[in-house]
Amino acid sequence: MEIDGEKTLLERKQSTYISLDETFEIRKETYGGQQYSQIYFTRLHLMRTLLYSLVPNLKPHLPVCKILGLEKGKECIIVGTLYKHMKLKPSILDEYSKTRSVTPLVKPHNFMHPDDHLILEDESGRVKLGGTMLLPSSYVTGIVVALHGKETGAGDFFVQDVLEAGLAPQIEFPLESREDKYVVLVSGLSVGSSASNPLQFQLLVDHITGHLGDEKEQAIAAQIVHVIIAGSSVEIPRGLLNGQNLASQDQSRLSEPIKELDIMLTQIAASVPLDIMPGPNDPANYSLPQQPLNRCLFPGSAAYNTFRSCTNPHCFELDNIRFLGTSGQNVDDLQKYSEAKDKLEFMERTLRWRNLGPTAPNTLGCYPFMDRDPFLIDSCPHVYFAGNQDKYETSLLKEGQLVRLICIPKFSKTGVAVAVNLRNLECHTLSFGTQFDL
């Protein structure tokens, strides 16, 4: 650009990037018909060790015992995995018999019922939980907790207090003087769908690459150091995927959305580092953790070393700021089987439970790992995001450490992306519209 006859060159700011996706990559695992019980055993073993270490500080006077060792009327601590008995939980058997069933099918958005109750189980047995301290509406199957209470005459365990793992330790937030650097988070581009607006997407691309606006706008764009695309980037016509051989015309229709996406991503990758995550509608494996989209889908973008195809969930560090996020499946599944005031509360719960996908493998599809649970959160992130949400929401969690929670809205429906400042974790929206009232 030229200012007062002098050429001023804007240089894009840089940041140090470290990928931490190794835990979500499926490499050496081999599927030999194993069941999912091993994930629960591994989860219980690791979380129980952690909870046992917390009990002496919180309840030092109480003994810790197994479920099989409970004594009527004696207060103690038990540690186990929660199982939520749900009357309305869908069953494959119900699907086969629904034509003959007189029970009306429930709405698919939530399966809660007043008669739901919780059960705690460990290797020795299981016990039904009672009392008002542990509300079934706030919990789901798969969470490991420590419970303070006593066995009643009816054989239930009356819960008096709940001990959760709490937020995991966090790497120290850099406090030295820093400059403004922004990470742009966008989700639900849905290229190829009827809701997608190519002009809207192009405006976003032009803003990121510095081809939009005046000198001030371009100076702001130069502070963008990274772009994250959190799932559901394309929408492939489902009618074509019927198991039949496709005609050449249909093959072209099938690949058109991906080609269009690649053209857009090439423009971004030529200007700024870019991470793309798979999502529920993308050509990737269904089960979590979803593996990176094949680079051959993006011949233009993949030519740049700034382009990275990543896993879902995705974890990385930028200038010692840790990011952790998903394409939204974990939060959406929690909404089906529990209740909260908003999506941010669901996200906060996963951090306190130290489990990114607590409902996997019960209701959230996941790979049957044998000796590890990749969804356990060992280190608390500074920024935690969930993609493909209905609206933009954010909050800052302050409990001796800072965590910025972000719900990224679907761009195809809202035209909204999110920018996060690495200096102070503040964030704001980037809104793009193509219709204006005169």
Side-chain angles (χ1 to χ4, degrees), residues 15 41 88 104 237 252 254 256 260 270 285 323-324 345 358 397 420:
S15 62
F41 287 138
L88 300 181
S252 176
L254 201 62
E256 200 60 41
E260 185 180 338
N285 59 302
F323 285 70
L324 175 65
E345 186 173 351
L397 194 58
V420 183

Side-chain angles (χ1 to χ4, degrees), residues 237-251:
R238 299 290 180 185
L240 299 177
L241 304 175
N242 54 11
Q244 304 296 322
N245 291 330
L246 295 178
S248 58
Q249 184 179 358
D250 290 336
Q251 289 179 2

